[in-house]
């Protein structure tokens, strides 16, 4: 459909009218408010650009090249740099600019810079305009490969929130004229913080009253020299631990580590701390209410993706819907501009490299007009991407995404998995290589195989390892060594013809094995036809999949029937053989087929097959048949060959196109179902620090889905794999449900998992304290905190409780002060 923005979508407004929270105007293309600097396409921050930023006449500060993150705040129509110790603190009356420039080689491998424009909910129009202008100037200085984001307070993107690991603190009002975000070692403070301790923690300053409390969240009473964390009775241990991490961060950054921390998990057991809280907040009247669950976007909503073409027609801007999911990358043309609507959850604007300067200037205003016309909330996140600088999240909205850089370095494909012999030691010492190749070693470890029969596992004779049946399910246990210790991978192989009963029994038997190995098994769910490279490697190129459910008992396949087998692969690391219908239409000129008849086995070589393919077929044929062998070249088949296949028939003969190599980066999500349907919270620029013992994390490497279970999250073990399947089912790119799913437990991570994390530390969790241990042993004695309660009362409260002023009280003898404290219950 074609929609005129002047009529139906109403994309334009009066120039003088501020729109939403951006500082831009929605107006016609002739409006001077949309005039901005051009956007050069330099791929890096050049010395000229840095010099331009240091020009004080422009009011733009220099970018320190050694830091990843840079933050500025609007103040008196200028942008002022925020001190690093204050990162994560945001005042509601201001706007901020946050620039992330990845420094590590791992991060910069194809990763763009991110430029965020953050708007406080109480920010004025002038502050927004200043920030908007600054973004335009900064974008010009930075050049290409920059993704622009619009962030609204309380609704920031996962990318933005991922910068601030302890959490974000929203502070009331505006910044003092002294421009001090955080004053270290200042103790004359009384404030209450409402902490929402999801995967991305945030805290807001709220009224200093019991009315601010609820049962579901965490509240921090900040009294300067004392920090009391009150945990609602309905908060989880994971939330308590995250809240404590923020509390300890405040202790270190703002109090120089000298403030004491107290934690209220149970009010009946923390009477001393409750006395302090009541001395400050007064006596609590009535019961606490249960907080309304925060609105979260489920996977089905995120899967509702629509792509629109945006172009000018006369004086109007036209938005034409092109496609819904799954989207194809070739819909995007380099001379055009597009809006991608992800179910109202997020709006992307994609700009081709040949897009006009006028269109690039109007990117944000068009996105905001689209949001307004669609009736989406004003805080809807906007991301503007240039061709060649697309974010990982944007790329994964498409069925496939090709990038020149990835094509050149990709190590897999239809040919050999590796051009050189696999070096096991190198795979173990370079986990990044193991992850890229999906190989923990060369497959030379110990292999044990069981098939499922009558709900029980039965061992398969080692002579018949690698001979699987499409109607069966199998357990394949692989044992290898790393650093002198045994490591295990348990493959749960599911035939396409297996019954639901057998599949259920497969999972039950896998759990029994896992118990026998004390939870040390990495479990990988494999669907027939989607076997990972390492699974193929452990059978050394002799994996044969037969149709039906016979042959698993070691008696071999019936040799009287005519059977046709399709052989694909070039070496022992990527070759597999599949039985296909015995008819001519199943042949393919690019491959090799084995035709087993009652008295002879033909090796049929298609015209497009290579010498390596032929060599592998000769090793596989002994598994298929012990009859005499006869090699047949395509086009030289004897009559009996066609008779065995029921006569000639057309079959694919054109040259096979190279495999589509997708340029997708790995993405990490926290899994949660506390409020109903599965909700995934992404952690961008992730590291091992983002894996918490209370979490279930999903790592999407595109070719595999990893479900990581923290040590304290074992209760979700059964659900985790189902979450992985739901993630695939609802993915907007139309992902294959046969994508392998790997269940990994904390402390038993294979290199194919750890290789996706920068600087993995295998000993990180050896002496890691639990939340309970930290509270019990690491926060100091409660009595020592309670002893100084009176110090934190306001002058009026002190007068009411003690009947005298603070000056009068502290002029008394020390023993009399202590006696009066005891009488009033402050010990």
């Amino acid at each position: 459909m074609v929609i005129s923005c002047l009529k139906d979508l109403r994309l334009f407004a009066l120039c003088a009218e501020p729109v939403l929270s951006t500082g831009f105007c929605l107006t016609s293309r002739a409006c001077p408010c949309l005039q901005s600097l051009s956007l050069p396409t330099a791929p890096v921050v050049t010395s000229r650009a840095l010099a331009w930023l240091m020009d004080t006449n422009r009011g733009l500060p220099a970018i320190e090249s050694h830091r990843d993150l840079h933050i500025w705040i609007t103040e008196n129509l200028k942008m002022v740099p925020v001190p690093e110790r204050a990162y994560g603190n945001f005042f509601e009356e201001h706007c901020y600019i946050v620039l992330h420039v990845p420094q590590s080689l791992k991060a910069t491998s194809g990763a763009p810079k991110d430029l965020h424009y953050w708007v406080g909910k109480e920010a004025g129009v002038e502050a927004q305009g200043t920030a908007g202008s600054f973004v335009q100037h900064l974008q010009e200085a930075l050049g290409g490969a920059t993704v622009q984001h619009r962030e609204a307070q309380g609704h920031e993107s996962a990318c933005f929130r991922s910068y601030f690991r302890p959490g974000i603190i929203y502070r009331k009002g505006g910044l003092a004229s002294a421009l001090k975000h955080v004053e270290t070692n200042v103790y004359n403070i009384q404030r209450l913080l409402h902490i929402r301790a999801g995967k991305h923690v945030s805290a807001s300053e709220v009224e200093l009253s019991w009315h601010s409390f609820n049962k579901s969240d965490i509240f921090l009473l900040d009294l300067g020299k004392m920090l009391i964390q009150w945990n609602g009775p309905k908060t989880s241990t994971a939330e308590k631990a995250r809240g404590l991490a923020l509390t300890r961060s405040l202790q270190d950054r703002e109090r120089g580590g000298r403030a004491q921390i107290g934690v209220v998990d149970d009010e009946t057991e923390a009477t001393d701390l409750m006395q302090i809280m009541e001395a400050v907040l007064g006596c609590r009247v009535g019961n606490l209410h249960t907080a309304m669950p925060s609105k979260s976007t489920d996977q089905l909503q995120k899967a509702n993706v629509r792509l629109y073409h945006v172009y000018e027609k006369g004086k109007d801007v036209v938005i034409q819907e092109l496609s819904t999911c799954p989207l194809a990358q070739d819909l995007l043309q380099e001379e055009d501009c597009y809006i991608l609507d992800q179910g109202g959850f997020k709006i992307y604007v994609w700009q081709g490299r040949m897009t006009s300067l006028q269109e690039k200037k109007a990117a944000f205003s068009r996105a905001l007009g689209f949001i307004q016309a669609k009736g989406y909330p004003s805080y809807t996140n906007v991301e503007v991407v240039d061709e060649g600088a697309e974010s990982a999240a944007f790329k994964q909205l498409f069925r496939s995404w090709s990038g020149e850089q990835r094509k050149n370095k990709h190590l897999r494909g239809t040919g050999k998995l590796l051009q050189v012999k696999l070096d096991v030691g190198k795979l173990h010492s370079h986990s990044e290589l193991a992850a890229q190749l999906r190989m923990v070693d060369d497959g030379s470890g110990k292999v044990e195989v069981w098939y499922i029969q009558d709900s029980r596992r039965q061992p398969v004779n080692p002579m018949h390892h690698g001979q699987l049946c499409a109607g069966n399910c199998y357990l394949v246990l692989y044992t290898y060594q790393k650093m002198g210790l045994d490591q295990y991978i348990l493959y749960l192989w599911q035939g396409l013809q297996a019954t639901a009963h057998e599949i259920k029994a497969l999972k039950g038997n896998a759990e029994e094995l896992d118990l026998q190995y004390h939870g040390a098994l990495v479990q990988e769910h494999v669907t027939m036809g989607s076997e990972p490279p390492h699974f193929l490697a452990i059978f050394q190129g002799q994996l044969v999949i037969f149709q039906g459910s016979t042959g698993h008992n070691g008696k071999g396949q019936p040799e009287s029937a005519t059977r046709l087998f399709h052989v694909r692969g070039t070496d022992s690391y990527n070759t597999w053989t599949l039985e296909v219908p015995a008819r001519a239409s199943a042949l393919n000129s690019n491959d090799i087929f084995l035709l087993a008849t009652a008295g002879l086995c033909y090796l049929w070589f298609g015209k497009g097959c290579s010498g390596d393919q032929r060599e592998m077929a000769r090793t596989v044929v002994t598994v298929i048949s012990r009859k005499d062998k006869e090699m047949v070249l395509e086009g030289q088949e004897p009559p009996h060959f066609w008779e065995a296949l029921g006569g000639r028939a057309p079959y694919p003969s054109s040259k096979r196109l190279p495999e589509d190599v997708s340029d997708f980066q790995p993405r990490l999500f926290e899994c949660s179902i506390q409020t109903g349907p599965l909700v995934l919270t992404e952690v961008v620029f992730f590291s091992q620090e983002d894996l918490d013992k209370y979490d279930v994390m999903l790592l999407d490497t595109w070719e595999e889905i990893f479900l990581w279970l923290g040590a304290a999250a074992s209760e979700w073990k059964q659900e985790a794999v189902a979450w992985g399947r739901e993630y695939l089912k609802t993915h907007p790119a139309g992902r294959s449900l046969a994508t392998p799913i790997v269940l990994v437990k904390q402390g038993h991570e294979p290199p194919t998992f750890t290789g996706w994390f920068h600087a993995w530390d295998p000993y990180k969790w050896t002496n890691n304290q639990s939340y309970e241990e930290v509270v019990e042993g690491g926060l100091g004695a409660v009595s020592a905190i309670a002893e100084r309660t009176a110090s934190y009362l306001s002058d009026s409260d002190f007068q009411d409780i003690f009947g005298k002023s603070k000056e009068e009280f502290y002029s008394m003898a020390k023993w009399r002060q202590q006696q009066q404290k005891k009488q009033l219950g402050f010990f």
Side-chain angles (χ1 to χ4, degrees), residues 241-450:
R242 292 170 187 153
L244 186 57
L246 178 62
T247 299
R248 297 179 82 173
S249 174
L250 286 174
Q251 178 193 42
D252 293 336
R253 291 196 300 169
E254 298 191 16
R255 309 298 147 76
R258 287 184 283 273
Q260 291 182 290
I261 297 176
V263 175
V264 179
D265 270 326
D266 186 335
E267 293 183 353
T268 61
E269 296 181 1
T271 54
D272 291 335
L273 292 174
M274 287 304 297
Q275 287 181 359
I276 299 174
M277 294 185 70
E278 290 182 347
V280 176
L281 302 172
C283 293
R284 190 169 66 209
V285 178
N287 297 323
L288 295 175
H289 66 280
T290 301
M292 294 292 292
S294 57
K295 185 178 180 181
S296 55
T297 306
D298 61 33
Q299 293 309 106
L300 284 175
Q301 181 180 345
K302 292 181 181 179
N304 183 19
V305 174
R306 295 179 182 274
L307 182 67
Y308 299 86
H309 179 205
V310 182
Y311 61 95
E312 294 183 357
K313 186 176 181 180
K315 294 183 178 181
D316 292 350
V317 173
V318 179
I319 296 182
Q320 180 180 11
E321 183 175 330
L322 290 184
S323 179
T324 59
C325 59
L327 301 176
Q329 184 183 0
D330 58 12
L331 289 170
L332 305 176
Q333 301 299 311
E334 64 178 8
E335 66 273 9
D336 290 327
C337 178
Y338 300 84
I339 287 178
L340 196 156
D341 180 1
Q342 192 179 7
F345 162 73
K346 191 168 188 174
I347 301 298
Y348 295 89
V349 179
W350 185 89
Q351 303 174 133
R353 59 170 52 94
M354 301 300 293
T355 303
S356 69
L357 296 179
Q358 189 66 39
E359 286 184 297
K360 290 184 177 181
K361 295 173 186 178
F364 268 112
S365 60
R366 288 178 175 177
L368 298 176
F370 180 84
I371 289 171
Q372 190 177 50
K374 295 283 282 186
Y376 294 153
S378 60
Y379 53 74
T380 300
N381 190 261
V382 175
E383 183 174 307
V384 177
V385 296
D386 290 331
E387 181 179 2
E390 297 86 357
S391 63
F394 180 84
K395 292 176 183 178
Q396 278 207 11
L397 297 174
F398 292 78
R399 183 170 54 244
S400 64
W401 191 277
S402 298
E404 293 300 323
Q405 183 178 15
R406 181 67 177 267
K407 284 181 180 178
N408 293 334
K409 73 174 186 177
H410 199 68
L411 297 174
R412 287 171 283 106
T414 56
K416 291 186 177 181
L417 174 69
L418 283 175
Q419 299 301 319
V420 295
K421 181 176 176 62
L422 279 174
D423 184 335
V424 177
K426 192 171 184 179
L427 288 175
H428 288 174
S429 60
H430 296 81
S431 59
E432 183 175 354
L433 177 62
Q436 293 275 347
L437 300 177
R438 302 167 68 192
M439 299 283 287
V440 298
D441 65 0
D442 59 0
S444 60
K446 179 183 176 183
V447 181
E448 300 172 79
V449 182
W450 297 267

